[in-house]
Amino acid sequence: MAGRRAGVADLRGPGFLNSDPTELKAALEREARALGFDCIGITEPGTIDNAGKYFLEFIASGGHGDMDWLAAQPERRVDPRGLWQDVRSVIMLGVNYGPDSDPLAILQQHTHAAISVYAQGDDYHDLIKKRLKALARWLVATAPSEVKVFVDTAAVMEKPLAQTAGLGWQGKHTNLVSREFGSWLFLGAIYTTLALPRDGAEIDHCGSCQACLDICPTSAFPAPYKLDARRCISYLTIENKGPIPREFRKAIGNRIYGCDDCLAACPWNKFAQEGREAKLAARDELRAPSLAELSRLDDTAFRVLFTKSPVKRIGRDRFLRNVLIAIGNSGEVALAEEARRLLGDESALVRGAAVWALGQLLPDQEFAAIKTDATAGEQDESVREEWQGVS
Ligand code: B12
């Protein structure tokens, strides 16, 4: 923080506004770091042509699944000027969220749940937006201009922009990889009307490595640098609103919210710096929560446990759906009791997943005995299909 104040003081002299853009850029970088950003780079509109072309191909192939918001108004996304015609520079920022332990170790604890690293702490959107706004305020106060800030949810191609701003390169898993922080980097953007000196683009350093492609449990990469979101566990557990397609249920294992496998496999992670901001720290209760306990959450308890967490946005029913898939994959017969209880849940999504979990855990005869009773009272077609094992 001392550095931050010094940075501001340096700039507030009367001559500053007339000083050269390089000086402004250097001061901006100091301010960004003081606010908790781990890296910063500057690019301009018109630098991500190929990405726009690939984006349109991705949408045309249907790779976005049910994420209609991603396909909407593509002209806004493929060029920053489509979103805001006055933008002259794009400031890209990164925050390192590298985990403090092996994020794949939890996959061996079958009676416990794996929540992806990014979702084990407070919602990064809130944290990064706060920092982006603070930096934008500083910029406007320092050099009169207009600004807009974005993190994740706007029609901004953050990864290609970050690559042309020099923060890293889009790896074969399609995420931005940094030489300093590996695959663990959140991104945010500030669009500004100022013409700032731009940084050089980073080049691809994946080489012949394809660890991220090989590790994917659902073979979600049809080719290097291309993801079919419909097969990605992150999409299936977070974005997908309906039942999880049968073909992916076993491969999901105990991953109940997002997936880190492709990120964790990246060899560049070994260069990730230690000592992250405390605010990105995982909450202890979300590192390896017990499936039995999670399966007992009602709506209120769900909201309390996931206060300020990104997990909250999928709601209790979708969350329980995911927990039941993990219960079905646990191999722990004692957990069948939890699934059995949820056969009576109000949500058809939950009841359907409970059927599948029971089918995995109980011997055929026992499952058939429950089925006779339960199907008699079941009105929902999707749950009836689960009992028949056809959905
Ligand atoms: C939609 C979305 C998703 C979707 C689709 C993922 C995807 N790859 O697009 C789903 C729900 C699956 C998802 C999952 C995750 N996401 Co997400 N997601 C986004 C979002 C909102 C838009 C991304 C987008 O535009 N996708 C559209 C497609 C077309 O883009 P793309 O896959 O990157 O496609 C590029 C490549 O395929 C390449 N390409 C295509 N063909 C070829 C050929 C060659 C030769 C080459 C070189 C390149 C190339 O060009 C395309 C365009 O750049 C961004 C935020 C944002 N506004 O940018 C966050 C974002 C990408 N997600 C993020 C994160 C953290 C994740 C997860 C790690 C979360 C988790 N742990 O579960 C996973 C990672 C899964 C994965 N391997 O991508 C971070 C990634 C940070 C980083 N370092 O890159 C972002 C940037 C959010 C943020 N602000 O930090 N996400």
Side-chain angles (χ1 to χ4, degrees), residues 96-103 117 120 184 260 264 269 276 287:
N96 170 20
Y97 70 103
D100 53 14
S101 58
D102 175 9
V117 172
Q120 288 176 16
W184 307 107
D260 290 324
N269 293 337
R276 296 164 306 133
R287 283 177 190 270

Side-chain angles (χ1 to χ4, degrees), residues 275-316:
R276 296 164 306 133
E277 279 287 300
K279 279 183 190 154
L280 293 185
R283 291 187 201 167
D284 282 339
E285 68 275 23
L286 300 186
R287 283 177 190 270
S290 117
L291 288 172
E293 283 174 23
L294 293 179
S295 77
R296 291 177 207 136
L297 293 175
D298 61 13
D299 197 51
T300 310
F302 171 80
R303 284 163 185 279
V304 170
L305 181 61
F306 293 109
T307 304
K308 289 170 86 183
S309 153
V311 176
K312 197 168 160 186
R313 86 181 170 91
I314 68 168
R316 179 261 183 193

Side-chain angles (χ1 to χ4, degrees), residues 286-355:
L286 300 186
R287 283 177 190 270
S290 117
L291 288 172
E293 283 174 23
L294 293 179
S295 77
R296 291 177 207 136
L297 293 175
D298 61 13
D299 197 51
T300 310
F302 171 80
R303 284 163 185 279
V304 170
L305 181 61
F306 293 109
T307 304
K308 289 170 86 183
S309 153
V311 176
K312 197 168 160 186
R313 86 181 170 91
I314 68 168
R316 179 261 183 193
D317 295 346
R318 264 197 267 170
F319 181 77
L320 265 271
R321 168 201 67 185
N322 298 345
V323 169
L324 280 159
I325 298 299
I327 284 180
N329 289 326
S330 68
E332 179 59 59
V333 180
L335 284 174
E337 263 322 294
E338 309 294 351
R340 193 166 178 168
R341 177 176 45 78
L342 288 166
L343 288 177
D345 198 80
E346 277 187 11
S347 156
L349 190 62
V350 174
R351 295 200 300 280
V355 174

Side-chain angles (χ1 to χ4, degrees), residues 31 33 40 69 73 78 95 136 174 201 292 305-306 343 345 351:
E31 188 67 14
R33 287 180 194 282
I40 175 171
W69 49 269
Q73 297 181 299
V78 298
V95 174
T174 78
L305 181 61
F306 293 109
L343 288 177
D345 198 80
R351 295 200 300 280

